[in-house]
Amino acid sequence: IVRNSLAGCTLFITGASRGIGKAIALKAARDGANVVIAAKTAEPHRSLPGTIYTAAKEIEEAGGKALPCVVNVREEEQIIKAVEKAVKTFGGIDILVNNASAISLSGTLETETKKANLMMDVNVRGTYLTSKICLPHLRKSKNAHILNLSPPLNMNPVWFKNHCAYTISKYGMSMCVLGMAEEFRGEVAVNALWPKTAIYTAAMDMLGGSGVEKQCRKTDILADAAYCILTKPKTFTGNFVIDETLLREEGVKDFDVYAIAPGHPLLPDFFLDAEPDVIGMKLEQHGASPVLKEEKKSTKPLNFVKAIQGVFLFELSGDDGGTWYIDLKTKGGSAGSGKPPVKADVVMSMSSADFVRMFTGKLKPTMAFMSGKLRISGNMALAMRLEKMLVQLNSKL
């Protein structure tokens, strides 16, 4: 495919110290692009990999020029300073990638005000302000682009009911595409990019728990799709692009190269046509992961207290509702109705019917969570460890 190169172009990428943002930056760097890493992490994070400086080193090693800038997109002054520094260093800005994002998959009553504020500030306001501040410089570029990492505007209520605040915030980013593409038509291309499947990042690790990576693709697929968009002429605007759909149109046939575990069933991403219940059913049909299937064959006695080290509280609704607990932390372990003897690490809210289905192997916790049947507060990774235990338990019954 003959296309423009990003050599000499200046990209301003928010949240580029790790994950999807960094993958897009490295793809551009291989062309010899200038990359402004506009992200918060200057000092190493206790649980998340990478800083703006480690990302800058990787970008330089890949063949690009890097400008690391400490930017929290909630702070207008920090955006302004970074944009001014970028223009002074590289002579302008050609491309803006609004990648920085905050997520909390919680219902309205479970979402703390500070979490709602964070999602609105980073996702909607941050995207809007960064676009506004970059636009005067983008308008001077020969092939200006804004690319938002946000979904198509799917108004099916199913995508709102389980995480209303998060959906509003991501759709706010998409509405920036809708409005600005029209407002700056002929001057600046404005598009959205969203993955067809779950992408394996540090955020996904926290949301999905251990083992989720097998159901994900690498960040490379979004980097390749972003590159396709950003090397198109600015007449390509106002599009809500799905990574796999675009790459198929571009002639890509082998998608196994993007899989963490080639051949393993993939988890569809949020906001696309498959509804959460359908997502759950599709993955249920594929059964457990190969690792879990191997574990079914184990003849070793099961010591769940040693393996899990967590206390679970179940708040059940429906005809047989009530409060139940499983203590897999204190010596010997225990279970029963009411509150646990020690503070719960994880609180799970669901219907009593789904609780029975979960403990008889008919509903996996990951799928219950994805489809909104299960709400979790507390240690998310520990909650997902329960799935492994249930598979082992059901294989012994």
mmCIF file of all heavy atoms in Angstrom, residues 17-19 41 43-51 200-207 381:
data_model
loop_
_atom_site.group_PDB
_atom_site.id
_atom_site.type_symbol
_atom_site.label_atom_id
_atom_site.label_comp_id
_atom_site.label_asym_id
_atom_site.label_seq_id
_atom_site.Cartn_x
_atom_site.Cartn_y
_atom_site.Cartn_z
ATOM 1 N N SER A 17 2.975 7.207 28.039
ATOM 2 C CA SER A 17 4.082 6.586 28.782
ATOM 3 C C SER A 17 3.980 5.066 28.793
ATOM 4 O O SER A 17 4.937 4.372 29.104
ATOM 5 C CB SER A 17 4.142 7.120 30.215
ATOM 6 O OG SER A 17 2.923 6.868 30.891
ATOM 7 N N ARG A 18 2.799 4.536 28.445
ATOM 8 C CA ARG A 18 2.618 3.066 28.447
ATOM 9 C C ARG A 18 1.428 2.698 27.556
ATOM 10 O O ARG A 18 0.728 3.567 27.033
ATOM 11 C CB ARG A 18 2.390 2.558 29.872
ATOM 12 C CG ARG A 18 1.129 3.085 30.543
ATOM 13 C CD ARG A 18 0.961 2.530 31.952
ATOM 14 N NE ARG A 18 1.950 3.064 32.872
ATOM 15 C CZ ARG A 18 1.768 4.163 33.615
ATOM 16 N NH1 ARG A 18 0.625 4.823 33.559
ATOM 17 N NH2 ARG A 18 2.709 4.602 34.407
ATOM 18 N N GLY A 19 1.215 1.398 27.410
ATOM 19 C CA GLY A 19 0.005 0.885 26.758
ATOM 20 C C GLY A 19 -0.190 1.314 25.315
ATOM 21 O O GLY A 19 0.755 1.379 24.529
ATOM 22 N N THR A 41 3.063 10.306 34.381
ATOM 23 C CA THR A 41 4.057 9.536 35.134
ATOM 24 C C THR A 41 5.489 9.993 34.878
ATOM 25 O O THR A 41 6.089 9.639 33.858
ATOM 26 C CB THR A 41 3.913 8.024 34.827
ATOM 27 O OG1 THR A 41 2.533 7.673 34.886
ATOM 28 C CG2 THR A 41 4.673 7.181 35.830
ATOM 29 N N GLU A 43 7.747 9.858 37.768
ATOM 30 C CA GLU A 43 8.432 8.923 38.673
ATOM 31 C C GLU A 43 7.828 7.532 38.488
ATOM 32 O O GLU A 43 6.629 7.412 38.242
ATOM 33 C CB GLU A 43 8.229 9.361 40.135
ATOM 34 C CG GLU A 43 8.806 10.746 40.464
ATOM 35 C CD GLU A 43 10.332 10.777 40.371
ATOM 36 O OE1 GLU A 43 10.961 9.783 40.786
ATOM 37 O OE2 GLU A 43 10.865 11.780 39.867
ATOM 38 N N PRO A 44 8.638 6.481 38.648
ATOM 39 C CA PRO A 44 8.087 5.116 38.484
ATOM 40 C C PRO A 44 6.888 4.871 39.400
ATOM 41 O O PRO A 44 6.904 5.255 40.570
ATOM 42 C CB PRO A 44 9.265 4.209 38.872
ATOM 43 C CG PRO A 44 10.478 5.037 38.607
ATOM 44 C CD PRO A 44 10.085 6.453 38.919
ATOM 45 N N HIS A 45 5.837 4.275 38.837
ATOM 46 C CA HIS A 45 4.603 3.971 39.567
ATOM 47 C C HIS A 45 4.772 2.637 40.283
ATOM 48 O O HIS A 45 5.447 1.745 39.787
ATOM 49 C CB HIS A 45 3.438 3.910 38.571
ATOM 50 C CG HIS A 45 2.081 3.889 39.192
ATOM 51 N ND1 HIS A 45 1.513 2.738 39.680
ATOM 52 C CD2 HIS A 45 1.175 4.892 39.402
ATOM 53 C CE1 HIS A 45 0.315 3.029 40.164
ATOM 54 N NE2 HIS A 45 0.088 4.324 40.008
ATOM 55 N N ARG A 46 4.131 2.482 41.452
ATOM 56 C CA ARG A 46 4.318 1.253 42.238
ATOM 57 C C ARG A 46 3.771 0.014 41.524
ATOM 58 O O ARG A 46 4.287 -1.081 41.700
ATOM 59 C CB ARG A 46 3.687 1.388 43.637
ATOM 60 C CG ARG A 46 2.217 1.710 43.646
ATOM 61 C CD ARG A 46 1.690 2.013 45.041
ATOM 62 N NE ARG A 46 0.377 2.634 45.000
ATOM 63 C CZ ARG A 46 -0.747 1.979 44.806
ATOM 64 N NH1 ARG A 46 -0.716 0.676 44.632
ATOM 65 N NH2 ARG A 46 -1.897 2.611 44.786
ATOM 66 N N SER A 47 2.727 0.177 40.704
ATOM 67 C CA SER A 47 2.162 -1.017 40.061
ATOM 68 C C SER A 47 2.066 -0.929 38.540
ATOM 69 O O SER A 47 1.801 -1.932 37.875
ATOM 70 C CB SER A 47 0.763 -1.300 40.638
ATOM 71 O OG SER A 47 -0.079 -0.187 40.429
ATOM 72 N N LEU A 48 2.276 0.250 37.966
ATOM 73 C CA LEU A 48 2.168 0.406 36.512
ATOM 74 C C LEU A 48 3.548 0.601 35.893
ATOM 75 O O LEU A 48 4.381 1.320 36.447
ATOM 76 C CB LEU A 48 1.268 1.595 36.165
ATOM 77 C CG LEU A 48 -0.205 1.479 36.596
ATOM 78 C CD1 LEU A 48 -0.903 2.810 36.403
ATOM 79 C CD2 LEU A 48 -0.923 0.399 35.815
ATOM 80 N N PRO A 49 3.801 -0.021 34.730
ATOM 81 C CA PRO A 49 5.131 0.079 34.123
ATOM 82 C C PRO A 49 5.352 1.405 33.406
ATOM 83 O O PRO A 49 4.407 1.993 32.875
ATOM 84 C CB PRO A 49 5.132 -1.077 33.119
ATOM 85 C CG PRO A 49 3.689 -1.201 32.716
ATOM 86 C CD PRO A 49 2.882 -0.844 33.929
ATOM 87 N N GLY A 50 6.599 1.885 33.376
ATOM 88 C CA GLY A 50 6.983 2.987 32.501
ATOM 89 C C GLY A 50 6.733 4.388 33.013
ATOM 90 O O GLY A 50 5.826 4.638 33.796
ATOM 91 N N THR A 51 7.596 5.308 32.549
ATOM 92 C CA THR A 51 7.446 6.748 32.812
ATOM 93 C C THR A 51 7.573 7.468 31.477
ATOM 94 O O THR A 51 7.886 6.846 30.449
ATOM 95 C CB THR A 51 8.565 7.246 33.754
ATOM 96 O OG1 THR A 51 9.821 7.180 33.050
ATOM 97 C CG2 THR A 51 8.644 6.442 35.041
ATOM 98 N N TYR A 200 -4.646 -6.054 25.615
ATOM 99 C CA TYR A 200 -3.924 -6.331 26.858
ATOM 100 C C TYR A 200 -3.039 -5.151 27.260
ATOM 101 O O TYR A 200 -2.045 -4.850 26.604
ATOM 102 C CB TYR A 200 -3.089 -7.601 26.729
ATOM 103 C CG TYR A 200 -2.470 -8.002 28.044
ATOM 104 C CD1 TYR A 200 -3.265 -8.231 29.161
ATOM 105 C CD2 TYR A 200 -1.093 -8.136 28.178
ATOM 106 C CE1 TYR A 200 -2.707 -8.584 30.381
ATOM 107 C CE2 TYR A 200 -0.532 -8.497 29.400
ATOM 108 C CZ TYR A 200 -1.341 -8.721 30.491
ATOM 109 O OH TYR A 200 -0.792 -9.055 31.695
ATOM 110 N N THR A 201 -3.451 -4.461 28.308
ATOM 111 C CA THR A 201 -2.699 -3.340 28.879
ATOM 112 C C THR A 201 -2.696 -3.507 30.400
ATOM 113 O O THR A 201 -3.362 -4.389 30.935
ATOM 114 C CB THR A 201 -3.359 -1.993 28.538
ATOM 115 O OG1 THR A 201 -4.684 -1.980 29.112
ATOM 116 C CG2 THR A 201 -3.466 -1.753 27.037
ATOM 117 N N ALA A 202 -1.978 -2.619 31.083
ATOM 118 C CA ALA A 202 -1.960 -2.647 32.555
ATOM 119 C C ALA A 202 -3.369 -2.465 33.110
ATOM 120 O O ALA A 202 -3.755 -3.096 34.096
ATOM 121 C CB ALA A 202 -1.035 -1.561 33.081
ATOM 122 N N ALA A 203 -4.176 -1.623 32.440
ATOM 123 C CA ALA A 203 -5.558 -1.383 32.886
ATOM 124 C C ALA A 203 -6.381 -2.664 32.781
ATOM 125 O O ALA A 203 -7.156 -3.002 33.675
ATOM 126 C CB ALA A 203 -6.194 -0.271 32.054
ATOM 127 N N MET A 204 -6.195 -3.391 31.679
ATOM 128 C CA MET A 204 -6.938 -4.643 31.479
ATOM 129 C C MET A 204 -6.523 -5.681 32.513
ATOM 130 O O MET A 204 -7.340 -6.463 32.988
ATOM 131 C CB MET A 204 -6.681 -5.172 30.062
ATOM 132 C CG MET A 204 -7.638 -6.263 29.644
ATOM 133 S SD MET A 204 -9.352 -5.679 29.521
ATOM 134 C CE MET A 204 -10.238 -7.215 29.686
ATOM 135 N N ASP A 205 -5.236 -5.659 32.865
ATOM 136 C CA ASP A 205 -4.723 -6.564 33.885
ATOM 137 C C ASP A 205 -5.460 -6.362 35.200
ATOM 138 O O ASP A 205 -5.847 -7.306 35.878
ATOM 139 C CB ASP A 205 -3.225 -6.293 34.095
ATOM 140 C CG ASP A 205 -2.419 -7.576 34.142
ATOM 141 O OD1 ASP A 205 -3.007 -8.655 33.971
ATOM 142 O OD2 ASP A 205 -1.201 -7.492 34.354
ATOM 143 N N MET A 206 -5.674 -5.078 35.557
ATOM 144 C CA MET A 206 -6.352 -4.750 36.811
ATOM 145 C C MET A 206 -7.840 -5.094 36.740
ATOM 146 O O MET A 206 -8.415 -5.585 37.696
ATOM 147 C CB MET A 206 -6.164 -3.262 37.144
ATOM 148 C CG MET A 206 -4.744 -2.922 37.584
ATOM 149 S SD MET A 206 -4.606 -1.260 38.272
ATOM 150 C CE MET A 206 -4.803 -0.254 36.823
ATOM 151 N N LEU A 207 -8.457 -4.861 35.588
ATOM 152 C CA LEU A 207 -9.893 -5.118 35.436
ATOM 153 C C LEU A 207 -10.209 -6.598 35.355
ATOM 154 O O LEU A 207 -11.174 -7.067 35.941
ATOM 155 C CB LEU A 207 -10.423 -4.437 34.166
ATOM 156 C CG LEU A 207 -10.578 -2.926 34.192
ATOM 157 C CD1 LEU A 207 -10.854 -2.421 32.793
ATOM 158 C CD2 LEU A 207 -11.691 -2.501 35.135
ATOM 159 N N ALA A 381 -8.587 -8.304 41.219
ATOM 160 C CA ALA A 381 -7.777 -9.464 40.818
ATOM 161 C C ALA A 381 -8.124 -10.679 41.672
ATOM 162 O O ALA A 381 -8.204 -11.810 41.178
ATOM 163 C CB ALA A 381 -6.294 -9.134 40.941
#
